[in-house]
Amino acid sequence: MKLWVNGALHDEADARFSVLDHGLTVGDGVFETVKAVRGDTFALTLHLERLTRSARGLGLPDPDHDEIRRACAAVLEANPVELGRLRITYTGGVSPLGSERGEAGPGLVVALGATQRRPDTTAVVTVPWTRNERGALVGLKTTSYAENVVALARAHAAGASEALFANTRDRLCEGTGSNVFVVLGGRVHTPPVASGCLAGITRALAIEWTGAEETDLPMDVLDEADEVFLTSTLRDVQGVHRIDGREPAGAPGPVTAKAMRVFEERAAADTDPRL
Ligand code: PLP
């Protein structure tokens, strides 16, 4: 595997990144996961825009989009995969222990992992921990993801692939790495960004392409919903067939199936200059 570290492509075994990078020591970094299909990125422009928003939220200098585009192209060319996930990590950079960010400038790593198409449906659990919709990091895709790691472990222990959070007001928020949609009486709803969820790129496209509404939803909407589905870069649109052990009607239901079809067609057409 070849990956990009701070300006150049390296063999993974020779790549060097300081153990004193602020991203590693205190989680002072931001990231994006970008889907790549046969060497082509999907929605890279939208991911770069979000990376910049996240970096600004942490007070990091704006990332160099040109370098990241070159890095993504170089990594994809060096590691041909059918379906892959590019991981762009942009950090606070090297700083002596106990100090603020160093002066050496931010760190950048672009790596690639092969991935597989997700099943059409999956099981989810809800977790007792909350997303803080008024927290300092809300809406930023930072490398401080340990809360998600813990929640995802809970999901995996229950045979599910995703864990759903409420926010501090017990409103439906999002998954550890996905946004959530519910179908009620034929209409599609998803929590607003004010719920504390990440402004998912797949979520935004799904809202636009399916006409979903942003609605503040109580947690128990999950008991009443006709259908539930998830969106994320790696799941695209994925139906939910089990929530905390309960099985909603056959999944993917008709509205989810249509959303999956529309998403796949629009994404494959790739005629949207933003993508
Ligand atoms: N919510 C969280 C917390 C995430 O980490 C992600 C993606 O990793 C998403 C939602 C979905 O966002 P996207 O569709 O941009 O992948």
Side-chain angles (χ1 to χ4, degrees):
M1 175 66 62
K2 283 193 187 284
L3 43 83
W4 186 277
V5 181
N6 292 336
L9 203 58
H10 300 270
D11 283 323
E12 189 179 341
D14 302 328
R16 295 167 65 108
F17 199 76
S18 173
V19 294
L20 293 183
D21 190 282
H22 223 216
L24 178 66
T25 54
V26 298
D28 178 23
V30 296
F31 77 102
E32 284 296 322
T33 300
V34 181
K35 188 166 61 170
V37 186
R38 288 182 292 278
D40 263 346
T41 54
F42 177 71
L44 182 57
T45 302
L46 296 178
H47 284 284
L48 290 177
E49 286 168 7
R50 186 171 63 189
L51 188 76
T52 298
R53 285 201 304 278
S54 298
R56 287 181 182 172
L58 289 195
L60 288 167
D62 281 1
D64 178 344
H65 288 192
D66 289 341
E67 180 189 354
I68 298 176
R69 284 182 185 282
R70 271 189 287 119
C72 291
V75 169
L76 284 171
E77 196 184 337
N79 309 285
V81 292
E82 179 69 17
L83 181 61
R85 59 170 90 177
L86 280 164
R87 159 82 189 217
I88 303 166
T89 311
Y90 182 69
T91 72
V94 180
S95 71
L97 283 181
S99 70
E100 305 274 311
R101 266 174 215 148
E103 274 101 54
L108 174 68
V109 178
V110 178
L112 179 75
T115 186
Q116 291 189 339
R117 203 187 139 88
R118 294 294 164 112
D120 283 353
T121 66
T122 194
V124 302
V125 296
T126 53
V127 287
W129 311 297
T130 53
R131 281 273 193 260
N132 181 0
E133 71 278 14
R134 287 170 301 168
L137 301 182
V138 73
L140 310 181
K141 198 163 163 66
T142 76
T143 54
S144 306
Y145 249 47
E147 195 168 66
N148 293 313
V149 172
V150 171
L152 194 58
R154 166 82 62 110
H156 288 163
S161 82
E162 182 59 304
L164 298 179
F165 287 93
N167 67 16
T168 63
R169 295 180 297 112
D170 206 32
R171 313 304 282 182
L172 183 61
C173 186
E174 66 174 344
T176 67
S178 63
N179 292 106
V180 58
F181 287 67
V182 298
V183 181
L184 294 165
R187 297 181 83 105
V188 187
H189 302 267
T190 193
V193 167
S195 72
C197 69
L198 185 75
I201 286 164
T202 325
R203 169 187 180 277
L205 296 173
I207 289 174
E208 189 178 318
W209 292 346
T210 68
E213 296 164 46
E214 296 180 86
T215 312
D216 189 36
L217 299 159
M219 232 10 217
D220 58 16
V221 75
L222 294 173
D223 300 328
E224 294 149 26
D226 304 317
E227 301 174 36
V228 177
F229 63 85
L230 305 177
T231 61
S232 82
T233 293
L234 295 172
R235 296 174 192 270
D236 293 331
V237 176
Q238 185 180 43
V240 170
H241 65 247
R242 183 151 51 86
I243 305 171
D244 291 335
R246 298 183 313 278
E247 310 220 335
V255 179
T256 304
K258 186 169 172 209
M260 290 166 85
R261 206 170 50 245
V262 168
F263 191 89
E264 200 167 304
E265 283 168 11
R266 296 287 290 257
D270 207 3
T271 46
D272 189 329
R274 294 167 307 166
L275 308 180

